[in-house]
Amino acid sequence: MKFSSKARYGLRVVYELGKSYNSNEPISSSKLAEVARVSQNYLEKIMSTLKKQNIVTAKQGLNGGYELSFPPQQLTIGKILTALEGSLYTSECVEKNCENKNCPNKEVFFFIYKSINETLGNITLQDIINKKV
């Protein structure tokens, strides 16, 4: 399984927002683009996805920017990555009905899928911030 650049940069951005969560001050998109090392244009695409999935909120105006919608201890890495990537299926064998009833792939890939999702569902953004992972 390989995550897209959108997931990698998006996780960086959410991490930065998580670190400043208690300050109650939004972080500007230019600052987030700098931290994530992405163009402003690409950052806006990432943030649009995160807004649609209710991971972040945007504040307009002079002191505007982005904030997390939830405290970091309530956001799992699985939720963040699913928001950015969509389904985290490991193979089409898991997602669709396999036509070959004797093929072991579905069971193997389902086990991998289940393990990955359980692990990502148990790691919070706060765990990452506190370096507990």
Coordinates of all heavy atoms in Angstrom, one line a residue, residues 47-127:
M47 N -6.7 21.3 1.7 CA -7.5 21.9 2.7 C -9.0 21.8 2.3 O -9.9 21.6 3.2 CB -7.1 23.3 3.0 CG -5.7 23.5 3.5 SD -5.2 22.3 4.8 CE -6.1 23.0 6.2
S48 N -9.3 21.9 1.0 CA -10.7 21.8 0.6 C -11.2 20.4 0.9 O -12.3 20.2 1.4 CB -10.7 22.0 -0.9 OG -12.0 21.8 -1.4
T49 N -10.4 19.4 0.6 CA -10.7 18.0 1.0 C -11.0 17.8 2.5 O -12.0 17.2 2.9 CB -9.7 17.0 0.5 OG1 -9.5 17.1 -0.9 CG2 -10.0 15.6 0.8
L50 N -10.0 18.4 3.3 CA -10.2 18.2 4.7 C -11.4 19.0 5.3 O -12.0 18.5 6.2 CB -8.9 18.7 5.4 CG -7.6 17.9 5.2 CD1 -6.4 18.6 5.7 CD2 -7.8 16.5 5.8
K51 N -11.7 20.1 4.6 CA -12.9 20.9 5.0 C -14.2 20.1 4.7 O -15.1 20.0 5.6 CB -13.0 22.2 4.3 CG -12.2 23.3 5.0 CD -12.2 24.6 4.4 CE -13.3 24.9 3.4 NZ -13.1 26.2 2.7
K52 N -14.2 19.5 3.5 CA -15.4 18.7 3.1 C -15.6 17.5 4.1 O -16.8 17.1 4.3 CB -15.3 18.2 1.7 CG -15.5 19.3 0.7 CD -15.2 18.7 -0.7 CE -15.3 19.8 -1.7 NZ -14.8 19.4 -3.1
Q53 N -14.5 17.0 4.6 CA -14.6 15.8 5.5 C -14.7 16.2 7.0 O -14.6 15.4 7.8 CB -13.4 14.9 5.2 CG -13.4 14.3 3.8 CD -14.6 13.4 3.6 OE1 -15.0 12.6 4.4 NE2 -15.1 13.5 2.4
N54 N -14.8 17.5 7.2 CA -15.0 18.0 8.6 C -13.8 17.8 9.5 O -14.0 17.6 10.7 CB -16.3 17.6 9.2 CG -16.7 18.4 10.4 OD1 -16.5 19.6 10.4 ND2 -17.4 17.8 11.4
I55 N -12.6 17.7 8.9 CA -11.4 17.6 9.7 C -10.9 18.9 10.1 O -10.4 19.1 11.3 CB -10.3 16.8 8.9 CG1 -10.8 15.5 8.4 CG2 -9.0 16.7 9.7 CD1 -11.0 14.4 9.5
V56 N -11.1 19.9 9.3 CA -10.6 21.3 9.6 C -11.8 22.3 9.3 O -12.7 22.0 8.6 CB -9.4 21.7 8.8 CG1 -8.2 20.8 9.0 CG2 -9.7 21.8 7.3
T57 N -11.7 23.5 9.9 CA -12.5 24.6 9.6 C -11.7 25.7 9.1 O -10.5 25.8 9.5 CB -13.4 25.0 10.8 OG1 -12.5 25.3 11.9 CG2 -14.3 23.9 11.2
A58 N -12.3 26.6 8.3 CA -11.6 27.8 7.8 C -12.2 29.0 8.4 O -13.4 29.1 8.6 CB -11.7 27.8 6.3
K59 N -11.3 30.0 8.8 CA -11.8 31.3 9.3 C -11.3 32.3 8.3 O -10.2 32.3 7.9 CB -11.2 31.5 10.7 CG -11.7 30.5 11.7 CD -12.0 31.1 13.0 CE -12.6 30.0 13.9 NZ -12.8 30.5 15.2
Q60 N -12.3 33.2 7.9 CA -12.0 34.2 7.0 C -11.5 35.5 7.7 O -11.6 35.6 8.9 CB -13.2 34.6 6.2 CG -13.8 33.4 5.5 CD -12.9 32.8 4.4 OE1 -12.2 33.5 3.7 NE2 -12.9 31.5 4.3
G61 N -10.9 36.4 7.0 CA -10.5 37.7 7.5 C -9.0 37.9 7.7 O -8.2 37.0 7.4
L62 N -8.7 39.0 8.3 CA -7.3 39.4 8.5 C -6.5 38.3 9.3 O -5.4 38.0 9.0 CB -7.2 40.7 9.2 CG -5.9 41.3 9.4 CD1 -5.2 41.5 8.1 CD2 -6.0 42.6 10.2
N63 N -7.1 37.8 10.4 CA -6.4 36.8 11.2 C -7.0 35.4 10.9 O -7.0 34.6 11.8 CB -6.6 37.2 12.7 CG -5.9 38.4 13.0 OD1 -4.7 38.7 12.6 ND2 -6.5 39.3 13.8
G64 N -7.4 35.2 9.7 CA -8.0 33.9 9.3 C -7.0 32.8 9.1 O -5.8 33.1 9.2
G65 N -7.5 31.7 8.8 CA -6.7 30.5 8.6 C -7.4 29.3 8.8 O -8.7 29.3 8.7
Y66 N -6.7 28.2 9.2 CA -7.4 26.9 9.4 C -7.2 26.5 10.8 O -6.1 26.8 11.5 CB -6.8 25.9 8.5 CG -7.1 26.1 7.0 CD1 -6.2 26.8 6.2 CD2 -8.3 25.7 6.5 CE1 -6.6 27.1 4.9 CE2 -8.7 26.0 5.2 CZ -7.8 26.6 4.4 OH -8.1 26.9 3.1
E67 N -8.1 25.7 11.3 CA -8.1 25.1 12.6 C -8.7 23.7 12.5 O -9.4 23.4 11.6 CB -9.0 25.8 13.6 CG -8.6 27.2 13.9 CD -9.5 28.0 14.8 OE1 -10.7 27.9 14.6 OE2 -9.0 28.5 15.8
L68 N -8.3 22.8 13.5 CA -8.9 21.5 13.5 C -10.4 21.6 14.0 O -10.7 22.5 14.8 CB -8.2 20.6 14.5 CG -6.8 20.1 14.2 CD1 -6.2 19.3 15.3 CD2 -6.8 19.4 12.9
S69 N -11.2 20.8 13.5 CA -12.6 20.7 13.9 C -12.8 20.0 15.2 O -13.8 20.2 15.9 CB -13.5 20.0 12.8 OG -13.4 20.7 11.6
F70 N -11.8 19.2 15.6 CA -11.9 18.4 16.8 C -10.6 18.5 17.5 O -9.5 18.7 16.9 CB -12.2 16.9 16.5 CG -13.4 16.7 15.7 CD1 -13.4 16.6 14.3 CD2 -14.6 16.6 16.3 CE1 -14.5 16.3 13.6 CE2 -15.8 16.3 15.6 CZ -15.7 16.2 14.2
P71 N -10.5 18.2 18.8 CA -9.3 18.1 19.5 C -8.4 17.0 19.0 O -9.0 16.0 18.5 CB -9.7 17.8 21.0 CG -11.1 18.2 21.1 CD -11.7 18.0 19.7
P72 N -7.1 17.1 19.0 CA -6.2 16.1 18.4 C -6.4 14.7 19.0 O -6.2 13.7 18.3 CB -4.8 16.6 18.8 CG -5.0 18.0 19.1 CD -6.4 18.3 19.5
Q73 N -6.9 14.6 20.3 CA -7.1 13.3 20.9 C -8.3 12.6 20.4 O -8.5 11.4 20.6 CB -7.1 13.4 22.4 CG -8.1 14.2 23.0 CD -7.7 15.7 23.2 OE1 -6.8 16.2 22.6 NE2 -8.3 16.4 24.2
Q74 N -9.2 13.4 19.6 CA -10.4 12.8 19.1 C -10.2 12.5 17.6 O -11.2 11.9 17.0 CB -11.6 13.7 19.3 CG -12.0 13.9 20.7 CD -13.2 14.8 20.8 OE1 -13.8 15.2 19.9 NE2 -13.4 15.2 22.1
L75 N -9.1 12.8 17.0 CA -8.9 12.5 15.6 C -7.9 11.4 15.4 O -6.8 11.5 15.8 CB -8.3 13.8 14.9 CG -9.3 14.8 14.4 CD1 -8.5 16.0 13.8 CD2 -10.1 14.2 13.3
T76 N -8.4 10.3 14.8 CA -7.5 9.2 14.5 C -6.8 9.4 13.2 O -7.3 10.1 12.3 CB -8.3 7.9 14.5 OG1 -9.1 7.8 13.4 CG2 -9.0 7.6 15.8
I77 N -5.6 8.8 13.1 CA -4.9 8.9 11.9 C -5.7 8.2 10.8 O -5.7 8.6 9.6 CB -3.5 8.2 12.0 CG1 -2.7 8.9 13.1 CG2 -2.7 8.2 10.7 CD1 -2.6 10.4 13.0
G78 N -6.4 7.1 11.1 CA -7.3 6.5 10.1 C -8.3 7.4 9.5 O -8.6 7.4 8.3
K79 N -9.0 8.2 10.4 CA -10.0 9.2 9.9 C -9.3 10.2 9.0 O -9.9 10.6 8.0 CB -10.7 9.8 11.1 CG -11.7 10.8 10.7 CD -12.5 11.3 11.9 CE -13.5 12.4 11.4 NZ -14.8 12.1 11.9
I80 N -8.2 10.7 9.4 CA -7.5 11.7 8.6 C -7.1 11.1 7.2 O -7.4 11.7 6.2 CB -6.2 12.2 9.3 CG1 -6.7 12.9 10.6 CG2 -5.4 13.2 8.4 CD1 -5.5 13.2 11.6
L81 N -6.5 10.0 7.2 CA -6.0 9.4 5.9 C -7.2 9.0 5.1 O -7.2 9.1 3.8 CB -5.1 8.2 6.2 CG -3.7 8.5 6.8 CD1 -3.0 7.3 7.1 CD2 -3.0 9.4 5.8
T82 N -8.3 8.5 5.7 CA -9.5 8.1 4.9 C -10.1 9.4 4.3 O -10.5 9.4 3.1 CB -10.5 7.4 5.8 OG1 -9.9 6.2 6.3 CG2 -11.7 7.0 5.0
A83 N -10.1 10.5 5.0 CA -10.6 11.7 4.5 C -9.8 12.2 3.2 O -10.3 12.7 2.3 CB -10.5 12.8 5.5
L84 N -8.5 12.0 3.3 CA -7.6 12.4 2.2 C -7.5 11.4 1.0 O -7.4 11.8 -0.1 CB -6.2 12.6 2.7 CG -6.0 13.8 3.7 CD1 -4.8 13.7 4.5 CD2 -6.1 15.1 2.9
E85 N -7.6 10.1 1.4 CA -7.4 9.1 0.4 C -8.7 8.4 -0.1 O -8.7 7.7 -1.1 CB -6.5 7.9 0.9 CG -5.1 8.3 1.2 CD -4.3 8.3 -0.1 OE1 -4.2 7.4 -0.9 OE2 -3.6 9.4 -0.3
G86 N -9.7 8.5 0.7 CA -10.9 7.7 0.4 C -10.7 6.3 1.1 O -9.9 6.2 2.1
S87 N -11.3 5.3 0.6 CA -11.1 4.0 1.2 C -9.7 3.5 1.2 O -8.9 3.8 0.3 CB -12.0 3.0 0.4 OG -11.8 1.7 0.9
L88 N -9.3 2.9 2.3 CA -7.9 2.4 2.4 C -7.8 0.9 2.1 O -7.1 0.2 2.7 CB -7.4 2.6 3.9 CG -7.3 4.1 4.3 CD1 -6.8 4.2 5.7 CD2 -6.5 4.9 3.4
Y89 N -8.6 0.5 1.1 CA -8.5 -0.9 0.7 C -7.2 -1.3 0.2 O -6.5 -0.5 -0.4 CB -9.6 -1.2 -0.4 CG -11.0 -1.2 0.0 CD1 -11.9 -0.3 -0.4 CD2 -11.4 -2.2 0.9 CE1 -13.2 -0.4 0.0 CE2 -12.7 -2.3 1.4 CZ -13.6 -1.3 0.9 OH -14.9 -1.4 1.4
T90 N -6.7 -2.5 0.5 CA -5.4 -3.0 0.1 C -5.5 -3.6 -1.2 O -4.4 -3.8 -1.8 CB -4.9 -4.0 1.2 OG1 -5.9 -5.0 1.4 CG2 -4.6 -3.3 2.5
S91 N -6.6 -4.0 -1.7 CA -6.8 -4.7 -3.0 C -8.2 -4.7 -3.4 O -9.1 -4.6 -2.6 CB -6.3 -6.2 -2.8 OG -6.6 -7.0 -3.9
E92 N -8.4 -4.8 -4.7 CA -9.8 -5.0 -5.2 C -10.4 -6.2 -4.7 O -11.7 -6.3 -4.6 CB -9.8 -5.0 -6.7 CG -9.5 -3.6 -7.3 CD -9.6 -3.6 -8.8 OE1 -9.9 -4.7 -9.4 OE2 -9.3 -2.5 -9.4
C93 N -9.6 -7.2 -4.3 CA -10.2 -8.4 -3.7 C -11.0 -8.2 -2.5 O -12.0 -8.9 -2.2 CB -9.1 -9.4 -3.3 SG -8.1 -10.0 -4.7
V94 N -10.7 -7.1 -1.7 CA -11.4 -6.8 -0.5 C -12.7 -6.0 -0.9 O -13.7 -6.2 -0.3 CB -10.5 -6.0 0.5 CG1 -11.3 -5.5 1.7 CG2 -9.3 -6.8 0.9
E95 N -12.5 -5.1 -1.8 CA -13.6 -4.2 -2.2 C -14.7 -4.8 -3.0 O -15.8 -4.5 -2.8 CB -12.9 -3.0 -3.0 CG -13.8 -1.8 -3.1 CD -13.1 -0.7 -3.8 OE1 -12.0 -0.9 -4.4 OE2 -13.6 0.4 -3.7
K96 N -14.4 -5.7 -3.8 CA -15.4 -6.3 -4.7 C -15.5 -7.8 -4.5 O -14.6 -8.4 -3.9 CB -15.0 -6.1 -6.2 CG -14.9 -4.6 -6.5 CD -14.4 -4.4 -7.9 CE -14.3 -2.9 -8.2 NZ -13.7 -2.7 -9.5
N97 N -16.5 -8.4 -5.0 CA -16.7 -9.8 -4.9 C -15.7 -10.5 -5.8 O -15.6 -10.2 -7.0 CB -18.1 -10.3 -5.3 CG -19.1 -9.9 -4.2 OD1 -18.7 -9.9 -3.0 ND2 -20.3 -9.7 -4.5
C98 N -14.9 -11.4 -5.3 CA -14.0 -12.2 -6.1 C -14.7 -13.3 -6.8 O -15.5 -14.0 -6.2 CB -12.9 -12.8 -5.2 SG -11.6 -13.6 -6.0
E99 N -14.4 -13.4 -8.1 CA -15.1 -14.5 -8.9 C -14.5 -15.8 -8.7 O -15.1 -16.8 -8.9 CB -15.1 -14.1 -10.4 CG -15.9 -12.8 -10.6 CD -15.8 -12.4 -12.1 OE1 -15.4 -13.2 -12.9 OE2 -16.2 -11.2 -12.4
N100 N -13.2 -15.9 -8.3 CA -12.6 -17.2 -8.1 C -12.7 -17.6 -6.6 O -12.1 -17.1 -5.7 CB -11.1 -17.0 -8.4 CG -10.3 -18.3 -8.3 OD1 -10.8 -19.3 -7.8 ND2 -9.1 -18.3 -8.8
K101 N -13.6 -18.5 -6.4 CA -13.9 -18.9 -5.0 C -12.8 -19.7 -4.3 O -12.7 -19.7 -3.1 CB -15.2 -19.8 -5.0 CG -16.4 -19.2 -5.6 CD -16.8 -18.0 -4.7 CE -18.0 -17.3 -5.3 NZ -18.3 -16.0 -4.9
N102 N -11.8 -20.2 -5.1 CA -10.7 -20.9 -4.5 C -9.4 -20.0 -4.3 O -8.4 -20.5 -3.8 CB -10.3 -22.1 -5.4 CG -11.5 -23.1 -5.4 OD1 -12.1 -23.4 -4.4 ND2 -11.7 -23.7 -6.6
C103 N -9.5 -18.8 -4.6 CA -8.4 -17.9 -4.5 C -8.2 -17.4 -3.0 O -9.2 -16.9 -2.4 CB -8.6 -16.7 -5.4 SG -7.2 -15.5 -5.4
P104 N -7.0 -17.6 -2.5 CA -6.8 -17.2 -1.1 C -6.6 -15.6 -0.9 O -6.5 -15.1 0.2 CB -5.5 -17.9 -0.7 CG -4.8 -18.0 -2.0 CD -5.8 -18.2 -3.1
N105 N -6.5 -14.9 -2.0 CA -6.1 -13.5 -2.0 C -7.1 -12.7 -1.1 O -6.7 -11.8 -0.4 CB -6.0 -12.9 -3.4 CG -4.8 -13.3 -4.1 OD1 -4.0 -14.0 -3.5 ND2 -4.7 -12.9 -5.3
K106 N -8.4 -12.9 -1.3 CA -9.4 -12.1 -0.6 C -9.1 -12.2 0.9 O -9.1 -11.2 1.6 CB -10.8 -12.5 -0.9 CG -11.8 -11.6 -0.2 CD -13.2 -11.9 -0.8 CE -14.1 -10.8 -0.2 NZ -15.3 -10.6 -0.9
E107 N -8.9 -13.4 1.4 CA -8.7 -13.6 2.9 C -7.4 -12.9 3.3 O -7.4 -12.2 4.4 CB -8.6 -15.1 3.3 CG -10.0 -15.7 3.2 CD -9.9 -17.2 3.5 OE1 -9.1 -17.6 4.4 OE2 -10.7 -18.0 2.9
V108 N -6.3 -13.0 2.5 CA -5.1 -12.4 2.9 C -5.2 -10.9 2.9 O -4.8 -10.2 3.8 CB -3.9 -12.9 1.9 CG1 -2.7 -12.1 2.1 CG2 -3.7 -14.4 2.0
F109 N -5.7 -10.4 1.8 CA -5.8 -8.9 1.7 C -6.8 -8.3 2.7 O -6.7 -7.2 3.2 CB -6.1 -8.5 0.3 CG -4.9 -8.6 -0.6 CD1 -5.0 -9.5 -1.7 CD2 -3.8 -7.9 -0.4 CE1 -3.9 -9.6 -2.6 CE2 -2.7 -8.0 -1.2 CZ -2.7 -8.9 -2.3
F110 N -7.9 -9.1 3.0 CA -8.8 -8.6 4.0 C -8.1 -8.6 5.4 O -8.3 -7.6 6.2 CB -10.1 -9.5 4.1 CG -11.1 -9.0 5.1 CD1 -11.8 -7.9 4.8 CD2 -11.2 -9.6 6.3 CE1 -12.7 -7.3 5.7 CE2 -12.1 -9.1 7.3 CZ -12.9 -8.0 7.0
F111 N -7.3 -9.6 5.7 CA -6.6 -9.6 7.0 C -5.7 -8.4 7.1 O -5.6 -7.7 8.1 CB -5.8 -10.9 7.1 CG -4.9 -10.9 8.4 CD1 -5.5 -11.2 9.6 CD2 -3.6 -10.6 8.3 CE1 -4.8 -11.2 10.8 CE2 -2.8 -10.6 9.5 CZ -3.4 -10.9 10.7
I112 N -5.0 -8.1 6.0 CA -4.1 -6.9 5.9 C -4.9 -5.6 6.1 O -4.6 -4.7 6.9 CB -3.3 -6.9 4.6 CG1 -2.3 -8.1 4.6 CG2 -2.5 -5.6 4.5 CD1 -1.7 -8.3 3.2
Y113 N -6.0 -5.5 5.3 CA -6.9 -4.3 5.4 C -7.4 -4.1 6.8 O -7.3 -3.0 7.3 CB -8.0 -4.5 4.4 CG -9.2 -3.7 4.6 CD1 -9.2 -2.3 4.2 CD2 -10.4 -4.1 5.2 CE1 -10.3 -1.5 4.4 CE2 -11.5 -3.3 5.4 CZ -11.4 -2.0 5.0 OH -12.5 -1.2 5.2
K114 N -7.9 -5.2 7.4 CA -8.4 -5.1 8.8 C -7.3 -4.7 9.8 O -7.5 -3.8 10.6 CB -9.0 -6.5 9.2 CG -9.7 -6.4 10.5 CD -10.3 -7.8 10.8 CE -10.8 -7.9 12.2 NZ -11.2 -9.2 12.6
S115 N -6.1 -5.2 9.7 CA -5.0 -4.9 10.6 C -4.6 -3.4 10.4 O -4.4 -2.7 11.4 CB -3.8 -5.8 10.3 OG -4.2 -7.2 10.5
I116 N -4.5 -3.0 9.2 CA -4.1 -1.6 8.9 C -5.1 -0.6 9.5 O -4.8 0.3 10.2 CB -3.9 -1.3 7.4 CG1 -2.6 -2.0 6.9 CG2 -3.9 0.2 7.1 CD1 -2.5 -2.1 5.4
N117 N -6.4 -0.9 9.2 CA -7.5 0.0 9.7 C -7.6 0.0 11.2 O -7.9 1.0 11.8 CB -8.8 -0.3 9.0 CG -8.8 0.2 7.6 OD1 -9.0 1.4 7.4 ND2 -8.6 -0.6 6.6
E118 N -7.4 -1.2 11.8 CA -7.5 -1.2 13.3 C -6.3 -0.4 13.9 O -6.5 0.3 14.8 CB -7.4 -2.7 13.8 CG -8.7 -3.4 13.7 CD -8.6 -4.9 14.1 OE1 -7.6 -5.3 14.6 OE2 -9.6 -5.6 13.9
T119 N -5.2 -0.6 13.3 CA -4.0 0.2 13.8 C -4.2 1.7 13.7 O -4.0 2.4 14.6 CB -2.7 -0.3 13.1 OG1 -2.5 -1.7 13.3 CG2 -1.5 0.5 13.6
L120 N -4.6 2.1 12.5 CA -4.8 3.5 12.2 C -5.9 4.1 13.0 O -5.9 5.3 13.4 CB -5.0 3.8 10.7 CG -3.8 3.4 9.8 CD1 -4.2 3.6 8.3 CD2 -2.6 4.3 10.2
G121 N -6.9 3.3 13.3 CA -8.0 3.7 14.1 C -7.7 3.8 15.6 O -8.5 4.4 16.4
N122 N -6.6 3.3 16.0 CA -6.2 3.3 17.4 C -5.1 4.4 17.7 O -4.7 4.6 18.8 CB -5.7 1.9 17.9 CG -6.8 1.0 18.1 OD1 -7.9 1.3 18.5 ND2 -6.6 -0.3 17.7
I123 N -4.6 5.0 16.7 CA -3.6 6.0 16.8 C -4.2 7.4 16.6 O -4.8 7.6 15.6 CB -2.4 5.9 15.8 CG1 -1.8 4.5 15.9 CG2 -1.4 7.0 15.9 CD1 -0.8 4.2 14.8
T124 N -4.2 8.2 17.6 CA -4.7 9.6 17.5 C -3.7 10.6 17.1 O -2.5 10.3 17.2 CB -5.3 10.0 18.8 OG1 -4.3 10.2 19.8 CG2 -6.4 9.1 19.4
L125 N -4.1 11.7 16.6 CA -3.2 12.8 16.3 C -2.4 13.2 17.5 O -1.2 13.5 17.4 CB -4.0 13.9 15.7 CG -3.2 15.2 15.2 CD1 -2.2 14.8 14.2 CD2 -4.1 16.2 14.7
Q126 N -3.1 13.2 18.7 CA -2.4 13.5 19.9 C -1.2 12.5 20.2 O -0.2 12.9 20.7 CB -3.4 13.5 21.1 CG -2.8 14.2 22.3 CD -2.4 15.6 22.1 OE1 -3.3 16.4 21.8 NE2 -1.2 16.0 22.4
D127 N -1.4 11.3 19.9 CA -0.4 10.3 20.0 C 0.8 10.6 19.2 O 2.0 10.5 19.6 CB -0.8 8.9 19.6 CG -1.9 8.3 20.5 OD1 -1.9 8.7 21.7 OD2 -2.7 7.5 20.1

